[in-house]
Amino acid sequence: MDCKKREELTGDYLTGGLETGKKAEFEEHLNACAACKGELELFSRTWELMDAYKTPELSGDFTPSLMRRIRAEGSAEEPENGLGQWWKVPAMTLASCAIYLLCVETAILPSRDGAPNSPATEGSVTLADMLKEGRDSGGLDLLELVAKGGGK
Amino acid sequence: MLAFKDGDDDRFVELVEALKQRVFAFAFRFLGNAADAEDAAQEVFIKVYNARDAYVPSARFTTWLFTITRNTCLNLLEKRKKTSSVSLDEMLPGPDGPPARQLADSKDVPPAELALDKELASAVKEAVDSLPENQRTAVLLCRYSGLSYDAAAEVMGCSVKAVKSVLHRAKTGLKEKLAYLLKR
C-alpha cells in the first residue's frame, strides 16, 4: 500500500469500515511510514480536541416554561372547536343558499312564455331582470307571486 | 414515549427532563448561540408533544427526535437568513481572536471553560461553525450526540456510506483548521 492509497482509505479505517485484510495492510503501512502515522495521529487528536467545545447548561425554567407554552397553545386552540367557529356554519349555509337560488333562477324559474329559463333561450327573463322591471314587466313576476302567497 | 403517547403528561415531562440537554446541545452547536438554541429546543418538544400520535413505536425515538431537532434548526437558520438580524461581521473573528458575539454573550461559553482554555474552545467552535451544513450535522450527530452511523444516516436522510464520507470530509476540514493548535 502506498501513501495515496492510505489517504483514500483513512476515512473507512477511522469509521471501522475496512475489512480485515485491508485493515491489516493499512496498519502495516502506518508502521512503516512515519508521515502517514503522524497524519493519522492528527486526525485522532483533532477529534479529541472537539471535547473543548462545551455547551452551557439549560436554564432551570426550561421544562416549566415549555409546559406553560403547551398548555397555553392547547387552551388557545379549544375555542376553534367550539364557539370560535360559530360563524363558519351560517357562512356555509348562506353560500349554499346563494348557489341554490342561482340555480333556481337560471334553470328552473319559468320565463315569461312559460318555458324553462336558460341563458341560451332567446327572450328569457332572469330574476334580476324581473326585479328591475318590477310590475312594469306586464307578466306574472316573482313579486306578484310573493304578494299572492303572502296574502293567503 | 409509549406511556406519553397514551396521554400521560407526567411521562412527557420525564422525557423532556431526560433529553432536553442533548437537544439543546445539538441546537446550540448548530445555531451558534444559546438563546436561539433554547427557542429551538422548546419548539422541538412542542412538536414532539403535538405529534405524539404520529410516532410509530418501531422508529427509534432518538432518531425521530433528532430528525425533528435538525429540521427545526434548519428552519430557524432559514428564518435568520431572511431577517438577517445578526450581521456577518459580528460572526467573524475580531482582530484579537474569537468572534465578538461569542464574548458578548456570556451564556455561550461556561465560565469554567473561559477560565481553562477560552482560546481552544473558541477555535473549535469557530471551526465547527465554518463547516458546511451537512458536515456540521454529521459531526454533531456522530461526535457530540452519540448517534450511530445508522441513526445519523436516518436523521440526515442518506446512506450510511454517505454519512461516513461526509464525516471524513468534515474531519479533514477540522484537522486543517485546527492544525495550528495541534502543532503547539
Side-chain angles (χ1 to χ4, degrees), chain A residues 81-120:
Chain A
N81 302 320
L83 291 174
Q85 301 279 308
W86 67 270
W87 53 272
K88 283 196 179 171
V89 176
M92 287 297 287
T93 312
L94 285 173
S96 304
C97 287
I99 292 167
Y100 175 76
L101 279 173
L102 197 68
C103 291
V104 166
E105 185 230 329
T106 55
I108 300 167
L109 197 75
S111 65
R112 285 176 197 216
D113 58 7
N117 199 0
S118 147

Side-chain angles (χ1 to χ4, degrees), chain B residues 2-184:
Chain B
L2 291 175
F4 157 58
K5 195 174 152 70
D6 293 336
D8 189 343
D9 273 13
D10 289 342
R11 292 299 178 94
F12 177 69
V13 171
E14 282 174 26
L15 192 83
V16 173
E17 284 298 318
L19 295 163
K20 64 181 184 183
Q21 191 61 37
R22 278 179 81 187
V23 170
F24 170 72
F26 179 94
F28 176 82
R29 292 187 177 111
F30 198 100
L31 299 167
N33 75 81
D36 283 351
E38 193 160 335
D39 284 347
Q42 289 243 340
E43 213 173 298
V44 167
F45 285 111
I46 288 170
K47 282 177 185 170
V48 168
Y49 187 90
N50 292 334
R52 61 194 180 280
D53 294 332
Y55 172 67
V56 185
S58 62
R60 208 178 312 169
F61 179 70
T62 44
T63 307
W64 189 62
L65 181 71
F66 277 102
T67 305
I68 296 175
T69 307
R70 183 203 180 205
N71 290 339
T72 304
C73 290
L74 283 172
N75 289 341
L76 276 175
L77 273 188
E78 274 300 309
K79 272 187 204 166
R80 196 197 278 175
K81 266 184 206 165
K82 280 177 192 163
T83 54
S84 57
S85 57
V86 178
S87 78
L88 190 62
D89 291 344
E90 280 181 80
M91 302 300 288
L92 292 172
D96 301 321
R101 185 174 160 76
Q102 276 177 251
L103 292 177
D105 190 351
S106 60
K107 232 185 153 188
D108 282 359
V109 182
E113 190 60 55
L114 283 171
L116 283 172
D117 204 337
K118 191 171 68 181
E119 189 192 350
L120 180 64
S122 295
V124 175
K125 181 187 189 302
E126 205 182 315
V128 172
D129 286 352
S130 70
L131 292 173
E133 187 275 311
N134 63 338
Q135 292 182 23
R136 190 163 76 247
T137 302
V139 170
L140 300 191
L141 292 173
C142 298
R143 175 64 175 84
Y144 291 113
S145 304
L147 263 66
S148 65
Y149 296 128
D150 285 353
E154 229 174 290
V155 172
M156 294 174 71
C158 60
S159 67
V160 171
K161 198 178 172 189
V163 168
K164 288 180 177 179
S165 164
V166 166
L167 197 59
H168 184 59
R169 282 207 299 278
K171 282 181 183 179
T172 307
L174 290 168
K175 181 171 69 75
E176 282 161 14
K177 287 181 177 99
L178 299 171
Y180 73 100
L181 290 170
L182 295 166
K183 282 171 188 167
R184 281 179 185 178

Side-chain angles (χ1 to χ4, degrees), chain A residues 45-62:
Chain A
R45 286 176 60 202
T46 305
W47 214 225
E48 283 166 19
L49 263 190
M50 308 302 286
D51 282 336
Y53 188 178
K54 302 268 193 268
T55 55
E57 286 293 312
L58 259 175
S59 65
D61 188 46
F62 181 84

